Amino acid sequence: MDPTEPAMGTVHELLEARGKQGAIAAGIDRDLVEAAAAYMGDEDGALNFVYSGWAQCALPHRRLPDDQPWEIAAERVRLVVEPGRRPRAGDGPLEFLGVPFGSHARLILLYLQTEALRTGSREVELGRSLRDWLGRIGVSVGGRTGTLVKDQAERISRCRLTFHLQGGKSAGLINQSIVDRALFIEDERSGQGRLSLETAKLSEGFFEQLRRHPVPLEEAAIRALSNNPAALDTYLWLAYRLHALPGPKLVPWRALKGQFGGGYKELYHFKNKWAGALQMALAVYPAAKVDVVDDGVLLKPSRPPVLPKVPAVR
């Protein structure tokens, strides 16, 4: 790790010993301090869940042209997302809506998966329940933000995705929608005849994969990173990878760019930016053991962010 960068253990230790201002005065970046403090101050203990495929491949951070698909690959999984279409006003041809992107899309997907596992049902209410959950993690759903959330929810409901499992004899989820059915109602407040998504039903194939391969996450960590899609992706990846490692594993920079740097042309641009996302993810995952080295990132076996439940002894 760069000796100029603080070890995450130091951030958490400084917060406990000196508080936020003391940690900032000691030279720790303010954003890292705020994220770590928000995480450490959480007393709710709520959990979120995500399909393991999303912990290995993620959506774009920024908007793509509406007709452009998204493709990204990790060591074991390749994700392809095809943009959906929706009717135009009047009798015109269908228009491309674009693939989901950014923080709001990631948060909506987390909510869908968490609620489906919590209730044991593929049918998930959006509407007020989604607004309440977003509010709980600090995302305002009024005004422009509310419009952006609705746009991402509709993009998710209309797109099609494929998780191709790399290697072995496993088959991918071929041409699998995230949702089988979405209920749209006319949104009179938009003034443009747009539709508002109220309920969604996860597709059977996606729900089955989620039930078989869930990754538990701390909602406190999601809350602290809710406006940082790169850090969210990195946190999910660490939560999935670290606890299952049999020993230290070096992940080269080029492999990291292939997984996380789809929006960067040059490797050095990606390295400079992603190092910050990694530090933010570590700020909300104190048990993670990760070293940044010249050749990439060295992952070491670590306790998962959510410990498995141990049956009570009677």
Side-chain angles (χ1 to χ4, degrees):
M1 179 174 290
D2 187 332
T4 64
E5 294 179 351
M8 283 299 103
T10 304
V11 175
H12 303 110
E13 292 163 7
L14 279 171
L15 279 169
E16 290 182 346
R18 305 186 195 177
K20 288 202 295 185
Q21 293 307 314
I24 293 170
I28 309 298
D29 180 82
R30 180 180 292 272
D31 289 342
L32 292 178
V33 171
E34 293 290 350
Y39 168 79
M40 294 172 66
D42 181 84
E43 297 180 354
D44 188 8
L47 300 182
N48 292 162
F49 294 90
V50 69
Y51 165 54
S52 62
W54 286 118
Q56 301 171 72
C57 292
L59 296 171
H61 295 161
R62 298 178 181 85
R63 182 172 185 164
L64 302 179
D66 287 346
D67 61 349
Q68 181 176 322
W70 170 254
E71 183 172 343
I72 198 162
E75 182 180 4
R76 300 173 183 172
V77 178
R78 178 181 298 272
L79 170 66
V80 179
V81 185
E82 300 173 75
R85 296 189 182 197
R86 67 181 173 191
R88 296 177 187 266
D91 297 328
L94 296 178
E95 64 178 353
F96 281 104
L97 183 59
V99 301
F101 65 92
S103 297
H104 294 139
R106 286 160 168 77
L107 296 175
I108 293 168
L109 282 167
L110 275 169
Y111 169 80
L112 285 171
Q113 294 167 90
T114 299
E115 280 296 289
L117 284 184
R118 183 184 68 83
T119 62
S121 171
R122 291 197 285 139
E123 189 133 2
V124 179
E125 179 186 349
L126 296 173
R128 179 176 295 278
S129 294
L130 174 60
R131 291 192 292 271
D132 289 347
W133 183 79
L134 289 171
R136 194 167 76 237
I137 62 170
V139 178
S140 168
V141 290
R144 182 172 180 273
T145 301
T147 301
L148 293 174
V149 168
K150 289 179 182 178
D151 175 62
Q152 293 302 321
E154 187 174 0
R155 286 169 182 259
I156 289 169
S157 72
R158 294 192 188 274
C159 77
R160 296 185 69 80
L161 68 90
T162 307
F163 279 109
H164 294 284
L165 307 182
Q166 313 270 71
K169 298 181 180 179
S170 300
L173 298 178
I174 304 301
N175 293 328
Q176 181 67 65
S177 297
I178 299 174
V179 296
D180 268 348
R181 188 181 75 241
L183 173 62
F184 294 94
I185 63 171
E186 198 71 32
D187 186 358
E188 297 177 356
R189 292 170 297 177
S190 72
Q192 298 179 348
R194 290 298 186 197
L195 299 175
S196 176
L197 183 61
E198 291 297 314
T199 64
K201 187 174 184 179
L202 296 184
S203 67
E204 186 173 357
F206 183 78
F207 183 57
E208 185 60 28
Q209 290 295 319
L210 171 63
R211 292 177 64 184
R212 289 182 181 179
H213 308 288
V215 178
L217 310 164
E218 291 185 286
E219 191 171 287
I222 301 302
R223 183 182 299 112
L225 304 178
S226 61
N227 65 347
N228 191 327
L232 277 171
D233 294 344
T234 306
Y235 170 71
L236 265 60
W237 177 62
L238 295 176
Y240 168 72
R241 288 296 304 274
L242 292 182
H243 73 94
L245 291 173
K249 179 176 177 59
L250 176 68
V251 185
W253 284 114
R254 290 203 175 277
L256 290 166
K257 182 180 181 299
Q259 181 172 349
F260 296 107
Y264 295 92
K265 277 191 173 182
E266 302 296 337
L267 181 61
Y268 68 89
H269 287 149
F270 165 73
K271 289 171 65 174
N272 291 339
K273 290 290 186 181
W274 188 73
L278 174 62
Q279 291 297 314
M280 289 292 290
L282 294 175
V284 298
Y285 188 175
K289 298 175 183 177
V290 178
D291 290 333
V292 179
V293 297
D294 289 342
D295 294 333
V297 171
L298 185 64
L299 305 180
K300 301 177 183 179
S302 307
R303 179 178 66 80
V306 179
L307 289 174
K309 291 186 177 180
V310 178
V313 178
R314 302 191 178 209

